[in-house]
Amino acid sequence: MTAPSTVFETMDAVDGLPDEGDFEQVAFCHHRPSGLRAIVAIHSTVLGPALGGTRFWPYDTEGEALTDVCRLARGMTYKHAAAGLDQGGGKAVIWGDPRTIRSEALIRAYGRFVHGLAGRYLTAEDVGTTQADMDLIQRETPHVTGVSPSLGGSGDPSPATAWGVLWALRAAAEVRWGSPDLADRHITVSGVGKVGRALVDHLVDEGATVTVADIRDDAVRAVHDDHPEAATRLRTVEPEAAHAVDCDVFAPCALGAVLDERTIPELRCEVVVGSANNQLATPEDDQRLVDRDVLYVPDYVANAGGVINIAEEPAGYDQARAWARIAGIHDTVLAVLERARTQGMPPGEAADRHAEDRIESVARVARLRTGRP
Ligand code: NAD
């Protein structure tokens, strides 16, 4: 195996790293016998080891893989900082089609590559990788999270993510309506997959009226089948009309970029909070929501439950402790929205400033001499 930081043979085809000065380390691995080609981007370890999933994806070009891994790694720095975690931001990609090139040797070679980074990067599951892959990686390195519960892992993060979105929603309700109570609120959940479905369970328990949408009919049917007791409070809408439902809260729990120039003017809710990543199509959409008087809870603050859960693993996973910590998303949302209000900026920008302030203040602490050599 080539050492970390040895570039692929084709690396000279890439026109420089995106904002390269901004990254602590970008490591490349090419292991010919298994066919592994991987990139790990470590954006920041100021708060702790860089944590972030491994995306296994058939990018068209190496440059595309590099751009994606850097963009995602930077996002993790902000997410972890805002969530109050002692984790930095990183991400990895394995370049190739998991359906054709995944093998025990390739995943284990990747585990060895991660081990070579000496704990500066902790990996996890992401699009294209599975819990079984994490279990294999653990045979090569301890620097992995999201392994099977039987191996000490925290399991599927989706219930934890949904729990965090619920707390974000309560905080937003407090800010908007003066009470965290969700009974009698009407919430539209778009996307009832792993997170959305768990969120609906909570909302039904809270006494809310819930409208659900999904491109999969069976997913919608399953939600109705799960809650015969709430039949009069459960409705369905076509996915393309979900954002325009006349309701209190729109909760995007499917794809990103759902809030844009076209959909924002059509919103008929007062609050947007959901689990989907990258909900704003462009940075300008942050202000567009303010102009429509819609309270937006920044996605990476609302959906941090999964990473907070995973970050509990190295200390020995305990669900009660993890879930108590996830409930802290409530206070983070209040702090971010208060900053947005007092400093006159849109919430997405306020979340970024909140995260940057924490990184900077912890960096200052790290400059204090402790007497250790
Ligand atoms: P999932 O694949 O289990 O569920 C997504 C659901 O959305 C599916 O049922 C799918 O059919 C549906 N869908 C797809 N396109 C749609 C559309 N146009 N309109 C309505 N529904 C549509 O995924 P998930 O794990 O539940 O994650 C949902 C979102 O939350 C994703 O954006 C994901 O990146 C984000 N997220 C998830 C977690 C987690 O712990 N799973 C953590 C952080 C963020």
Side-chain angles (χ1 to χ4, degrees):
M1 180 181 316
T2 49
S5 289
T6 301
V7 296
F8 303 161
E9 293 153 3
T10 53
M11 205 47 220
D12 52 4
V14 178
D15 290 335
L17 299 175
D19 291 333
E20 65 185 293
D22 198 18
F23 283 77
E24 285 182 18
Q25 184 176 5
V26 179
F28 296 78
C29 168
H30 186 190
H31 181 242
R32 231 179 248 284
S34 65
L36 171 71
R37 284 185 296 182
I39 310 174
V40 176
I42 298 178
H43 179 246
S44 168
T45 58
V46 171
L47 296 177
L51 170 66
T54 300
R55 187 160 291 194
F56 199 157
W57 195 256
Y59 296 98
D60 286 339
T61 65
E62 203 166 5
E64 210 184 279
L66 182 62
T67 304
D68 205 32
V69 74
C70 288
R71 176 183 66 85
L72 294 164
R74 185 186 285 106
M76 296 310 284
T77 297
Y78 279 81
K79 184 169 185 165
H80 297 154
L85 296 175
D86 291 338
Q87 307 286 164
K91 201 85 184 186
V93 295
I94 297 176
W95 185 22
D97 188 340
R99 288 170 306 182
T100 52
I101 68 163
R102 175 188 267 114
S103 67
E104 178 182 350
L106 181 142
I107 299 293
R108 292 183 77 143
Y110 175 65
R112 290 204 153 226
F113 172 50
V114 169
H115 194 64
L117 296 167
R120 286 173 43 73
Y121 168 67
L122 273 179
T123 197
E125 204 178 315
D126 195 72
V127 177
T129 49
T130 64
Q131 195 168 77
D133 293 332
M134 298 307 119
D135 291 353
L136 260 184
I137 290 170
Q138 199 191 38
R139 285 158 73 176
E140 302 295 340
T141 180
H143 307 309
V144 55
T145 62
V147 296
S148 299
S150 60
L151 296 173
S154 55
D156 177 9
S158 310
T161 302
W163 178 240
V165 173
L166 177 70
W167 279 99
L169 224 165
R170 286 179 174 146
E174 225 167 295
V175 170
R176 190 67 187 218
W177 300 296
S179 161
D181 194 357
L182 299 175
D184 304 326
R185 292 278 162 217
H186 179 188
I187 295 141
T188 301
V189 180
S190 176
V192 280
K194 293 188 292 293
V195 179
R197 190 166 168 182
L199 178 63
V200 172
D201 292 346
H202 290 304
L203 297 174
V204 166
D205 287 350
E206 296 275 314
T209 295
V210 185
T211 296
V212 298
D214 201 292
I215 51 168
R216 284 178 38 203
D217 291 341
D218 58 330
V220 170
R221 238 187 343 269
V223 168
H224 285 273
D225 290 348
D226 283 352
H227 295 287
E229 81 288 3
T232 55
R233 291 190 282 122
L234 266 180
R235 304 167 189 171
T236 302
V237 65
E238 289 305 315
E240 54 281 4
H243 67 278
V245 171
D246 188 359
C247 60
D248 296 307
V249 182
F250 173 49
C253 295
L255 308 177
V258 282
L259 301 166
D260 62 18
E261 219 173 348
R262 181 186 66 82
T263 57
I264 292 172
E266 294 174 355
L267 292 175
R268 285 193 291 160
C269 58
E270 290 188 48
V271 170
V272 174
V273 47
S275 74
N277 279 314
N278 306 317
Q279 290 168 28
L280 306 180
T282 66
E284 290 72 40
D285 295 312
D286 203 11
Q287 183 60 40
R288 237 176 231 127
L289 286 161
V290 175
D291 296 342
R292 283 275 347 260
D293 195 24
V294 173
L295 184 66
Y296 166 63
V297 177
D299 44 19
Y300 69 79
V301 176
N303 71 17
V307 289
I308 297 173
N309 200 49
I310 275 179
E312 288 291 320
E313 283 187 16
Y317 183 68
D318 176 81
Q319 198 196 8
R321 192 183 68 215
W323 284 47
R325 200 158 179 202
I326 293 165
I329 286 177
H330 169 268
D331 290 0
T332 307
V333 171
L334 291 185
V336 166
L337 296 180
E338 180 61 9
R339 177 187 286 250
R341 191 184 67 78
T342 55
Q343 299 186 8
M345 56 176 67
E349 194 183 334
D352 287 356
R353 297 296 87 77
H354 178 81
E356 285 162 3
D357 281 359
R358 178 162 179 260
I359 293 169
E360 184 47 35
S361 63
V362 172
R364 268 190 232 117
V365 172
R367 286 181 211 132
L368 297 174
R369 194 170 286 284
T370 61
R372 282 162 61 192

